[in-house]
């Protein structure tokens, strides 16, 4: 290593740790992709646990960033430990905040899954929880950074707010707001099943801008109207149940599913 | 380019007194770019560049409740900006624009009784009204100050309340809390219960109300029932505000801009508005 | 080192995903030497079932953040193969440009952030930031450049959005391509300095012949977008016959499926590609290979890193060419038609940074996915990694425990294993027959190529 | 219309007009974007669209953009902050503005003239060179520009053009307009024949634009007032998604949010305003969570009232241009035109 620095002991920086449960680690990758400001960040916080990039592992952290859904019995214990140690716990990404794509499977039992994937040959061997769950279903979460993956700029804004000592801003409104401002022609008008009108903004509506319908990877906004979503689909020649099918992709964890499930006809995929 | 009216001015903080765990009382240098001569009921936009801006009422005006060249505010920790502002210390700088809001001339109030009603944080914007009326005590008849708080420990400006109460013959100060432990010897009950103790002639009074949204409807009903004229009933209304100068639209209340036509309104002016109270 | 040593590295750091190394040495002989993959199962193949086919690239790119462009590429090609869609040349160019971005990003990340700390004896890139700021800043600049490519084409640097069957959902405007090209050109000094830096490094000496596999494109370009699978032992497999090249099977200590070639473990990734396709590299990359003294005859897994550096140069160089090609004719392309509306089976391959990635779908006549299978490069490499560990460890007997641990970790890391990808379907506690091959799945081997 | 003010601009001279404007202005015109049109910069030689449907975003996107920097700031080592207003921009020339968008600009002007001027916007409005363009058919099925008096509105254009085939007939409305036109044409007056053609086409055009409202827009404030307690607000609002599209596509919406942005080190930054609107969730919510306009019915009523009552009362101009954007872009087709019709019925 480099020579020990003769500089006076630096004042204690807040210590941050990153933990990853069932996920693709794309969110942690977004953390690494704040290239131009990574060095500033390293000057402002001490990263004590970031398995993706560093060897050190320590348990004395102030801020814990949690990526991924909880899917195994031991995940529950681990997250409870982390919660005990961390002053601030932040769930990052759809997996940690909503269950995300992991929760698509939630309506099927582990045994069913095993059967489907292994032609029944490996029935019952999975030691997984019956539901892939968001972090807040187990411990209290202080802040949630939404998105699949999280947005680089939003991550920076959140870090900046926390370092400054205040709360981050979470947009309360629909993806359509940012989509329309961008001037993207509406996906529904093109016959694509977009749920942007009930989805929470913050992503700058990149999906419609890049040709794909919004799939609500940030969950729903503060006043979603699911009946009207079905109506919007219907008026654009899409069956209402397709709206539910779309919401299944990221919002299928039971508590999150409940409101839309009540308002929309059941999806054909179960 | 013409001076952009969204650009704030740095103002030094002279004093920062923690009033309750959530609220800090600031004495701040007044902006100098333009003459700073606010009226009671007006507000300023304060900010920290990089964090945000928020409307805050003046809690004392320069040369009246506050020393010349200074003004006061009481700020509650409520979100992004106020979390940080309430941690600032004397010597720090905050950034200020204003004053904004309607300037209500006081001639019409002269010679009348005054009833000043504040709930919770509402005492901050109401304070300049009290200070102005006490400063020109001779211009008014009876002055009643009614203050409500949720609990004894949430009562704001306790020293002021004490010194106003001390002017026994001049003014009457009534304080009530919604709930309290047994150590509280004062009144308990919502603020409207104090109204029965007003002994001024309500028909010849002006009332000023400031408090949380839920308070208004009850106060209005009771005061009007007691015979107060609709155009003698004044209140400050809060709305979300992002510019203070009638542009951002967030504060609109039916066809009115609260930052321009308010936040101080007479009941007569807003009575017919569905969105007012 | 004493007589009985067992090393257990819990959660190898600086790899994607969770993996443990277990080495059990007794009396100088190796009892057990395993790379345990303990990542949680995520059931991706099951998640795809019944979903509309156009969602596949967006669902599967969530298998792994770092390979997300590769997953989207393989996935869209599998969908297109199933529906008989042949995307036009500009669509392919855009997708290849995006792959260049991912290669550059992934290789730079691996070489600078994950491997370099070992070489500078630092526990991570963080202390390097103060001891060697220029190096770290250069890596960040290159990574930012790679991300910019992916932003321009896919909408974000991971999990590309724009992959639609038969077309792309977004056509970067000429101004964007122009900026991209200018930034790529301006990065030449950084690219050259990267080659210089890694040319100074002495890699641990260790050679082991293992069958190398790579999907080589039929147009003779450097392998990236998939094609028939070539083996260093000679045979060539059509994409639909991928199981013959690399068959999946389960092992009890790993949540990830291993794969096995006809003759045992196989190696995929930068070194394998270099071995099989080095003559397809452009002049800039060939020059870099010479500077790095990387021989096509190398069978040293530690040489994966210099091979990645060579491929970074290739990706950078190609990205410039592809930008220019698009700039010459930037108008969007017509969407390619579906010629098999009733669906069918399709296999899509891509050479992702870590090796050959295979997606195999069956799409039903309602446009929904009936069955899916994904074979991930790290899964293919796992057997090779263990074979290497078994060959490597005996040579280390007698060295201090810390050093062994470090070297073992370096060896695993050299493969740049991406464990989040590799993990599908199995839980650690599984106790099963190691010989048991589940790769057969529901569908028969498929005749269709991408 | 006096024929004296109307001059001939042969189609092929449009390029010359763009080239002339390019000298002093950033020239913009509608250009195809995917299946629709959007305002984009025109370079000399680019085709000028004379036949385009209403753009999704209104022209205010150029005059009071979606995201606009109010000022930048720098924090010195002493902690003191210095502020810089945004730099001056090249003035805009807008080519081919339809009547509804001209009306939109007129309302924007009225809004700013009423009181506190927003210099950033009024400067752009003052300096913009505007070429209006007559419509021959409604761009959107939901349009009702004729009812709202936008179809024939020429203000605030500098030049106003009717496309009658090979030649555009151009009316000069300002001196600035005359100066520019003089430089690109020999200022030939429209021929008698051309004027006849134009008049005929204008007559025929009325058939293409049927009337939708049975009353004049001036009656809107009264009609709305009478309908304030009507159930129609709830009935329509049931379908509202609070998606805000109606606000964002409207040429006369002006509301914005203000936020700060800064890199991690916080030494520099910007304060920006971003479009928002009364149908956007959170618009009327204050600290502590209280919403002063909760409920979709109230929000919808507010939007319609602002267009049809508050704006005419406050700024002297009805706030709806009849462009038809909000019903067209509403995912559930909540229609201001239908609501106006319904309240007209009760008035
Ligand atoms: C005329 C007026 C006078 C006021 N006087 C005082 C005072 O004297 N003392 C005091 O402590 N508070 C006062 N307030 C309230 C104060 O403005 C808010 O508490 C403050 O804006 C919160 O800002 P923040 O950035 O800390 O919180 P944020 O995190 O921005 O706000 C949290 C919540 O407040 C909402 N909000 C955002 N901006 C505003 C805004 N400008 N006004 C209201 N809500 C907003 C957000 O939508 C969010 O729901 C006054 C408000 C008005 C309109
Ligand atoms: S529905 Fe989708 S495409 Fe349409 S405006 Fe909303 S987010 Fe955009
Ligand atoms: S566009 Fe329609 S659904 Fe969306 S907020 Fe406006 S009225 Fe409601
Ligand atoms: S209210 Fe609707 S129809 Fe009227 S101007 Fe606005 S967008 Fe156009």
């Amino acid at each position: 290593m480099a020579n020990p620095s003769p500089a006076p002991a630096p004042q204690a920086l807040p210590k941050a740790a990153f933990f990853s449960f069932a996920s693709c680690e794309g969110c942690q990758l977004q953390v690494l992709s704040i290239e131009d400001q990574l060095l500033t960040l390293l000057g402002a916080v001490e990263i004590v646990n970031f398995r993706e990039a560093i060897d050190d592992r320590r348990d004395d952290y102030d801020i814990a960033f949690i990526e991924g859904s909880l899917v195994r019995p031991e995940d529950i214990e681990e997250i409870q430990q982390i919660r005990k140690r961390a002053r601030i716990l932040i769930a990052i990404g759809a997996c940690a905040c909503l269950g995300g794509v992991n929760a698509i499977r939630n309506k099927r039992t582990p045994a069913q899954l095993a059967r489907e994937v292994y032609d029944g040959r490996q029935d019952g061997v999975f030691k997984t929880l019956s539901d892939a769950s968001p972090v807040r279903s187990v411990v209290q979460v202080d802040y949630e950074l939404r998105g699949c993956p999280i947005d680089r700029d939003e991550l920076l804004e959140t870090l900046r707010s926390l370092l400054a000592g205040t709360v981050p801003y979470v947009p309360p409104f629909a993806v359509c707001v940012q989509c329309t401002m961008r001037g993207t022609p509406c996906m529904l008008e093109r016959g694509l099943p977009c749920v942007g009108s009930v989805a929470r903004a913050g992503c700058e509506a990149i999906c419609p801008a890049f040709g794909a319908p919004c799939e609500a990877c940030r969950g729903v906004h503060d006043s979603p109207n699911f009946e009207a979503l079905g109506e919007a689909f219907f008026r654009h020649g899409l069956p209402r149940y397709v709206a539910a099918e779309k919401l299944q992709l990221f919002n299928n964890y039971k508590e999150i599913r409940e409101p839309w499930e009540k308002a929309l006809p059941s999806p054909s995929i179960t | 380019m013409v001076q952009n009216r969204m650009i704030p001015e740095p103002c030094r903080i002279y004093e920062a007194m923690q009033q309750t765990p959530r609220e800090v009382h600031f004495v701040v240098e007044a902006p100098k770019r333009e003459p700073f001569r606010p009226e009671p009921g007006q507000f300023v936009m304060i900010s920290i560049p990089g964090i945000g801006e928020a409307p805050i009422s003046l809690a004392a005006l320069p040369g009246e409740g506050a020393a010349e060249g200074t003004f006061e505010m009481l700020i509650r920790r409520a979100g992004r900006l106020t979390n940080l502002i309430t941690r600032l210390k004397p010597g720090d700088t905050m950034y200020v624009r204003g004053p904004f809001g309607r300037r209500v001339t006081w001639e019409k109030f002269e010679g009348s009784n005054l009833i000043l009603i504040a709930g919770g944080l509402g005492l901050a914007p109401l304070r300049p009204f009290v200070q102005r009326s006490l400063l020109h005590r001779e211009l008014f008849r009876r002055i009643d100050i009614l203050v409500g708080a949720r609990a004894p420990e949430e009562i704001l400006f306790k020293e002021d309340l004490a010194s106003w109460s001390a002017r026994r013959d001049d003014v009457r100060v009534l304080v009530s809390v919604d709930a309290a432990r047994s150590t509280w010897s004062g009144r308990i009950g919502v603020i409207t219960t104090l109204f029965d103790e007003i002994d001024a002639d309500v028909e010849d009074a002006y009332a000023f109300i400031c408090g949380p949204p839920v308070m208004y409807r009850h106060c209005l009903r009771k005061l009007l029932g007691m015979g107060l004229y609709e155009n003698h009933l004044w209140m400050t209304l809060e709305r979300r505000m992002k510019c203070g100068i009638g542009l951002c639209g967030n504060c609109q209340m039916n066809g009115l801009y609260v930052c321009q036509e308010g936040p101080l309104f007479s009941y007569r002016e807003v009575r017919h508005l569905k969105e007012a109270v | 080192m004493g007589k009985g040593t067992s090393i257990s590295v819990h959660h190898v750091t600086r790899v994607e995903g969770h993996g443990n190394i277990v080495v059990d040495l007794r009396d100088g002989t190796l009892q057990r030497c395993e790379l345990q993959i303990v990542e949680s199962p995520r059931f991706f193949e099951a998640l795809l079932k019944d979903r509309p086919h156009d969602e596949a690239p967006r669902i599967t790119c969530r298998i792994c953040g770092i390979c997300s462009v590769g997953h989207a590429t393989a996935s869209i090609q599998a969908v297109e193969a199933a529906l008989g869609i042949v995307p036009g040349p500009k669509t392919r160019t855009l997708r290849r440009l995006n792959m260049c971005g991912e290669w550059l990003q992934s290789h730079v990340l691996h070489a600078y952030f994950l491997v370099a700390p070992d070489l500078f004896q630092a526990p991570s890139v963080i202390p390097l930031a103060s001891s060697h700021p220029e190096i770290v800043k250069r890596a960040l600049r290159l990574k930012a450049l790679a991300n910019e490519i992916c932003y321009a084409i896919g909408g974000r640097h991971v999990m590309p959005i724009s992959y639609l069957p038969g077309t792309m959902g977004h056509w970067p405007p000429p101004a964007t391509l122009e900026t991209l090209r200018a930034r790529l050109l301006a990065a030449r000094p950084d690219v050259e300095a990267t080659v210089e830096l890694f040319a100074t490094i002495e890699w641990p000496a260790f050679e082991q012949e293992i069958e190398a596999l790579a999907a080589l494109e039929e147009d003779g370009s450097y392998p990236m977008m998939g094609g028939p699978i070539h083996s260093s032992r000679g045979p060539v497999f059509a994409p639909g016959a991928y199981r013959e090249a690399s068959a999946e099977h389960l092992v009890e200590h790993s949540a990830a499926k291993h794969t096995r070639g006809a003759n045992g473990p196989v190696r995929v990734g930068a070194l394998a590609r270099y071995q099989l396709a080095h003559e397809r590299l452009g002049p800039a990359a060939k020059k870099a290979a010479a500077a790095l003294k990387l021989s096509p005859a190398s069978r040293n897994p530690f040489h994966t890193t210099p091979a990645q550096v060579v491929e970074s140069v290739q990706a950078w160089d190609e990205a410039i060419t592809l930008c220019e090609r698009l700039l010459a004719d930037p108008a969007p392309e017509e969407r390619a038609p579906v010629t098999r509306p009733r669906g069918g089976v399709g296999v899509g391959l891509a050479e992702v940074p870590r090796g050959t990635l295979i997606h195999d779908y069956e799409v039903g006549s309602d446009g929904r996915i009936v069955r899916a299978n994904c074979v991930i490069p790290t899964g293919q490499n796992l057997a090779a990694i263990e074979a290497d560990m078994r060959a490597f460890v005996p040579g280390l007997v007698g060295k201090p425990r810390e050093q062994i641990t470090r070297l073992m970790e370096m060896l695993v890391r050299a493969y740049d294993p991406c464990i989040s990808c590799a993990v599908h379907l199995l839980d650690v506690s599984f106790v099963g027959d190691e010989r048991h091959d589940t790769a057969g799945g529901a569908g028969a081997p498929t005749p269709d190529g991408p | 219309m006096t024929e004296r003010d109307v001059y001939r601009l042969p189609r092929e001279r449009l390029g010359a007009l763009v080239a002339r404007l390019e000298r002093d202005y950033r020239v913009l015109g509608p250009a195809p974007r995917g299946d629709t049109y959007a305002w984009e910069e025109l370079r000399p030689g680019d085709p000028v669209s004379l036949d385009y449907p209403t753009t999704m975003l209104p022209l205010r996107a150029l005059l009071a953009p979606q995201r606009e920097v109010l000022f930048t700031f720098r924090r010195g080592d002493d902690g003191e902050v210095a502020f810089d207003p945004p730099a001056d921009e090249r003035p805009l020339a807008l080519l081919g503005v339809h009547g509804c968008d001209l009306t939109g600009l007129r309302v924007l002007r009225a809004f700013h003239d009423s009181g506190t001027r927003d210099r950033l916007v009024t400067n752009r409005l003052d300096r913009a060179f505007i070429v209006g363009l007559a419509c021959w058919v409604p761009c959107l099925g939901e349009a009702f520009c004729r009812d709202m008096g936008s179809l024939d509105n020429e203000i605030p254009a500098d030049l106003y053009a009717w496309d009658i085939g090979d030649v555009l007939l151009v009316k000069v409305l300002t001196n600035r307009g005359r100066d520019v036109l003089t430089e690109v044409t020999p200022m030939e007056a429209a021929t008698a024949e051309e004027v006849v053609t134009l008049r005929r086409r204008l007559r025929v055009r009325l058939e293409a634009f049927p009337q939708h409202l049975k009353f004049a827009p001036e009656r809107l404030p009264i009609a709305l007032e009478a309908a304030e307690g009507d159930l129609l607000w709830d009935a329509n609002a049931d379908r509202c998604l609070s998606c805000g599209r109606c606000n964002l596509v409207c040429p006369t919406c002006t509301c914005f949010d203000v936020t700060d942005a800064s890199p991690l080190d916080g030494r520099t930054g910007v304060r920006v305003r971003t479009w928002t609107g009364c149908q956007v969730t959170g618009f009327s919510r204050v600290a502590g969570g209280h919403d002063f306009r909760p409920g979709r019915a109230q929000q919808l009523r507010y939007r319609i009232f602002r267009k049809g009552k508050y704006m005419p009362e406050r700024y002297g101009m009805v706030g709806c241009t009849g462009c038809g954007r909000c019903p067209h872009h509403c995912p559930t087709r909540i229609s201001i035109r239908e609501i106006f019709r319904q309240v007209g019925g009760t008035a």
Side-chain angles (χ1 to χ4, degrees), chain B residues 43 54-57 74-76 78-83 121 124 238-242 263, chain D residues 285-288:
Chain B
F43 65 96
I56 298 293
S57 310
L74 185 86
I75 303 179
R76 169 178 292 178
R80 246 177 101 68
L81 175 75
T82 47
N83 277 352
L121 197 55
E238 193 191 333
R239 286 294 182 279
R240 185 180 160 94
M241 288 176 191
K242 287 295 183 180
Chain D
R285 204 194 289 165
V286 297

Side-chain angles (χ1 to χ4, degrees), chain D residues 144 249-251 307 319-327 336:
Chain D
F144 57 120
V249 300
C250 179
K307 305 294 170 196
C320 174
T321 72
C323 70
R325 283 184 175 98
C326 63
I336 191 167

Side-chain angles (χ1 to χ4, degrees), chain C residues 289-372:
Chain C
L292 286 153
K293 298 194 195 64
L294 181 65
S295 155
S298 166
R299 301 294 178 261
N300 179 349
F302 291 101
H303 284 168
T304 305
T305 307
Q308 287 176 328
V309 175
V310 170
E311 288 192 339
S312 305
V313 178
Q314 175 71 14
W316 164 78
D317 190 38
E318 259 200 57
I320 298 171
T321 317
L322 297 175
C323 278
E324 282 163 358
R325 192 185 298 165
L326 288 164
L327 275 166
D329 180 12
E333 187 171 65
E334 285 285 306
R335 184 171 193 149
V338 174
T339 64
R340 230 192 303 149
R342 303 185 55 82
V345 174
V347 175
L349 267 66
E351 280 295 330
V352 300
R354 284 156 200 79
T356 315
L357 170 65
I358 305 159
H359 281 222
D360 165 13
Y361 305 155
E362 184 181 339
V363 179
S365 56
D366 58 355
R368 292 173 187 273
I369 293 174
V370 177
R371 174 195 59 80

Side-chain angles (χ1 to χ4, degrees), chain C residues 77 92 212-232 234-242 245 273 276-277 280 347-351 356-358 447-450:
Chain C
Q77 297 193 141
R92 286 185 58 87
L213 296 179
L216 301 198
E217 265 145 285
E218 278 165 316
D219 63 4
S221 46
Y222 194 74
M224 212 177 247
M225 303 294 286
I229 302 171
H230 290 239
S231 157
S232 58
V236 177
F237 306 90
Y242 68 90
R273 281 191 293 261
L276 290 163
R280 294 180 173 210
V347 175
L349 267 66
E351 280 295 330
T356 315
L357 170 65
I358 305 159
D448 311 272

Side-chain angles (χ1 to χ4, degrees), chain A residues 174-181 184-190 192-199 205 207-209 212-215 229 232-233 236, chain D residues 56 241 243 245 329 331:
Chain A
V175 168
C176 293
V177 174
Q178 294 183 325
C179 188
T180 310
M181 267 198 269
T184 310
C186 181
M187 294 273 116
L188 288 170
E189 244 144 71
R190 290 168 51 184
L192 294 172
C194 186
V195 296
S197 53
V198 296
C207 289
C214 168
E215 289 166 342
L229 176 69
F233 269 52
H236 288 88
Chain D
M56 174 176 138
L241 287 146
C243 69
R245 280 172 67 76
H329 293 290

Side-chain angles (χ1 to χ4, degrees), chain D residues 239-246 279 300 303 329-332 334:
Chain D
R239 308 209 295 273
C240 177
L241 287 146
S242 301
C243 69
R245 280 172 67 76
C246 46
Q279 314 298 294
L300 178 66
R303 175 167 69 90
H329 293 290
C330 171
T332 60
I334 295 173

Side-chain angles (χ1 to χ4, degrees), chain A residues 30 35 51 55 126 148 215, chain C residues 13-14 17 62 147 157:
Chain A
Q30 291 290 78
E35 296 97 7
R51 199 190 38 74
D55 284 354
F126 295 90
C148 182
E215 289 166 342
Chain C
T13 55
R14 287 187 276 140
R62 267 107 183 176
N147 286 348
H157 95 262

